[in-house]
Amino acid sequence: MATATMTVEFDLGRWKVPVEAPAWADVLTMRKVEPLAYPAVAVRAALADPMGCPPLGAVAAAKIAANPEAKAVVVISDNTRPVPYRGDSGIVWPVVSALLEHGFRAEHVTVLVATGTHRAMTGQELAQMLDPQVIAAGVRLANHDCRDRSSLRYVGTTRRGTRLEVNTTYLDADLKILTGLVESHFMAGASGGRKAIVPGLIGEDSTFIFHGAEMLAAPGVADLVLEGNPCHEEALEGALLAGADFIVNVTLDRTFRLTGVFAGELQAAHRAAVDTLRSYAGIPVDRFYDVAVVHAGRVGINHYQAAKAGVVGASALRPGGKLVIAAHHTDVDPIGSARYRTLLHLLKLFGPERYERLIMAPEWRFVPDQWEPQMWGKVLAKVDPRDLYYCGTGLEAADYEIIPGFDGHTLLPEAERYGKEPAELGTMMGAAVREAVRRHHEREGRRPRVAVLADGPYGIPVVR
């Protein structure tokens, strides 16, 4: 089936990948929003005029007045999130410098990585992610470890039954500051705010209900949804139990430039950020599509993280549609942890319905990472595995024995398969799109309605 084509550029952070798509496809993008002209000025202005609480300098000064040896903790995300932590848009150094200016000693300030259940960041990774001034200031850098019981303390039990254990470095700080990016999130509705604590700083056992099968199966668990979303409500209740004095959250545009800085009290600042995000990240569409093409953006460092792109892409599809996913895997393990591999293989063997019944069964013992195959199950509930084209760098043929879906590499000449460079993604994606269009045309007798989600997991189709 010969068709006219166009080229759409996929932005994967440091890499731009051109992808060939049918000329008639709808290219879905977030509403254009102007980035802040002077981001560094905007960050410091937000700290000086926050929402719902005094300026950061006044908060810091009050803590030092009460205790000259006060300790502060500044919570940051790990490198699976494109948070601006260096350069003109950097949000950590302005915070740290404000603490030092108002009496906190450098050795009493900890920059704490909210890893959640992810692996610890290396010193080299932190040096690459943070502003050099943060490192030079001599503050302490630390990773949360959800499996180190000695570094956790019980703070209470939520109404849904989560027995919440939180990082002691965080709890013992006199001044608790959260930072993060507010972007769409397929479980909690939006990232940022309360998620820096829950799940960012909690013990592995405390994820059992927050990431439990029943909660993630609830209808309110979706991108850009807070009201009636039990995942959001549980995270917020847990964060309030642990406490936070100040947050600094940001929003970004489709090219990762700063569009807003929201500082102040936890709920007020986060809500304002989500309202801003929703105004341009939601993409109104008037129909479901037969074929959706999406990429995993900067977040797709491995298959585990690429689930976000899968869920977003599937949301634009009619049941039985075809989905093409591109992800450039840069993590040491391009699939994910050993547990994730095992659970993902269960999903592939059992299918989404049986997998969900299994992890909801009374005799099932909660296994960390079980939530991400459950989210992939939401994709497979709409898309037959034969119609899920997964195009990921860094993978081997044997990996596709575990990964549900069609191996996009098999559409390339044999000598070009299973590379690690992003350049092959464009060729592979173009071939996968052509194959999906051809198969649809053969089965349905008409050309498919095709959506290209140019912003990957960051732009959310909202079918009206």
Side-chain angles (χ1 to χ4, degrees):
M1 175 185 172
T3 61
T5 63
M6 62 177 169
T7 299
V8 181
E9 186 176 76
F10 283 177
D11 188 343
L12 306 183
R14 288 192 290 145
W15 305 274
K16 306 293 188 292
V17 177
V19 175
E20 194 176 82
W24 71 81
D26 291 342
V27 180
L28 306 183
T29 61
M30 296 190 292
R31 183 175 66 82
K32 183 175 173 54
V33 59
E34 289 299 318
L36 300 178
Y38 303 100
V41 174
V43 172
R44 293 193 179 275
L47 302 183
D49 187 20
M51 304 174 191
C53 72
L56 178 59
V59 174
K63 296 291 185 180
I64 289 295
N67 176 14
E69 298 298 309
K71 296 179 180 179
V73 62
V74 181
V75 179
I76 63 172
S77 301
D78 66 13
N79 57 352
T80 63
R81 306 289 185 269
V83 191
Y85 282 140
R86 63 187 298 150
D88 287 345
S89 298
I91 58 175
V92 172
W93 174 240
V95 170
V96 170
S97 62
L99 300 182
L100 300 178
E101 289 167 9
H102 288 86
F104 278 87
R105 291 160 50 188
E107 61 268 30
H108 287 172
V109 177
T110 299
V111 174
L112 178 62
V113 186
T115 55
T117 59
H118 301 172
R119 66 171 177 83
M121 290 188 68
T122 66
Q124 181 180 1
E125 288 172 330
L126 283 168
Q128 291 172 342
M129 188 173 79
L130 292 172
D131 192 298
Q133 295 176 98
V134 176
I135 310 294
V139 300
R140 178 172 174 251
L141 304 178
N143 286 286
H144 170 64
D145 184 348
C146 70
R147 298 175 186 90
D148 179 8
R149 300 298 298 271
S150 68
S151 70
L152 302 168
R153 188 161 69 240
Y154 172 72
V155 297
T157 300
T158 68
R159 288 168 293 179
R160 287 185 173 86
T162 298
R163 189 178 186 279
L164 203 67
E165 294 183 316
V166 178
N167 183 284
T168 53
T169 296
Y170 180 79
L171 294 176
D172 291 341
D174 301 277
L175 176 54
K176 303 175 178 67
I177 301 169
L178 310 177
T179 70
L181 168 67
V182 176
E183 61 183 353
S184 58
H185 192 275
F186 64 162
M187 296 179 189
S191 61
R194 69 285 184 244
K195 281 190 86 257
I197 302 173
V198 181
L201 296 178
I202 63 177
E204 187 175 66
D205 291 351
S206 296
T207 65
F208 289 7
I209 292 178
F210 175 70
H211 276 344
E214 291 82 2
M215 181 173 290
L216 297 187
V221 174
D223 282 288
L224 299 181
V225 176
L226 296 187
E227 302 301 331
N229 183 334
C231 192
H232 158 70
E233 292 165 354
E234 188 74 354
L236 179 59
E237 184 178 354
L240 293 176
L241 281 172
D245 297 296
F246 201 91
I247 78 166
V248 186
N249 279 181
V250 298
T251 53
L252 304 176
D253 69 3
R254 62 190 301 265
T255 58
F256 306 104
R257 294 175 299 177
L258 202 64
T259 59
V261 186
F262 307 86
E265 189 271 331
L266 171 63
Q267 294 186 73
H270 184 252
R271 176 68 68 171
V274 174
D275 288 344
T276 297
L277 171 72
R278 198 181 280 124
S279 71
Y280 64 85
I283 307 170
V285 293
D286 59 4
R287 59 180 178 175
F288 289 105
Y289 291 87
D290 302 305
V291 177
V293 186
V294 67
H295 64 89
R298 296 189 184 193
V299 76
I301 63 171
N302 53 29
H303 186 271
Y304 175 98
Q305 293 292 343
K308 296 175 176 65
V311 172
V312 169
S315 71
L317 286 173
R318 64 170 179 80
K322 294 174 169 55
L323 180 60
V324 182
I325 302 174
H328 179 43
H329 301 319
T330 58
D331 200 26
V332 289
D333 191 325
I335 295 183
S337 69
R339 286 185 306 207
Y340 175 67
R341 285 172 171 263
T342 301
L343 293 160
L344 189 66
H345 199 200
L346 279 179
L347 171 68
K348 180 166 184 171
L349 293 173
F350 287 5
E353 291 184 8
R354 284 185 62 198
Y355 176 82
E356 193 161 85
R357 285 202 303 271
L358 173 70
I359 63 176
M360 285 186 176
E363 61 271 20
W364 175 261
R365 181 177 179 180
F366 182 92
V367 179
D369 290 347
Q370 69 177 42
W371 51 79
E372 214 77 344
Q374 185 180 7
M375 302 310 285
W376 276 113
K378 292 188 175 186
V379 177
L380 295 172
K382 260 193 175 183
V383 181
D384 187 283
R386 294 168 297 182
D387 295 327
L388 172 60
Y389 298 83
Y390 193 81
C391 305
T393 57
L395 299 171
E396 303 294 340
D399 292 329
Y400 282 90
E401 298 297 320
I402 297 170
I403 295 172
F406 181 89
D407 180 355
H409 291 270
T410 61
L411 299 172
L412 297 175
E414 191 167 352
E416 299 175 16
R417 297 174 187 173
Y418 309 112
K420 295 185 177 181
E421 299 303 319
E424 75 181 54
L425 279 178
T427 305
M428 197 190 325
M429 286 287 285
V433 173
R434 288 192 297 275
E435 179 69 5
V437 168
R438 182 190 66 79
R439 290 185 57 218
H440 176 89
H441 188 269
E442 285 184 354
R443 187 173 66 185
E444 304 289 339
R446 61 172 176 83
R447 75 182 192 185
R449 296 185 296 272
V450 180
V452 179
L453 280 66
D455 295 318
Y458 311 113
I460 310 302
V462 180
V463 181
R464 303 193 186 282

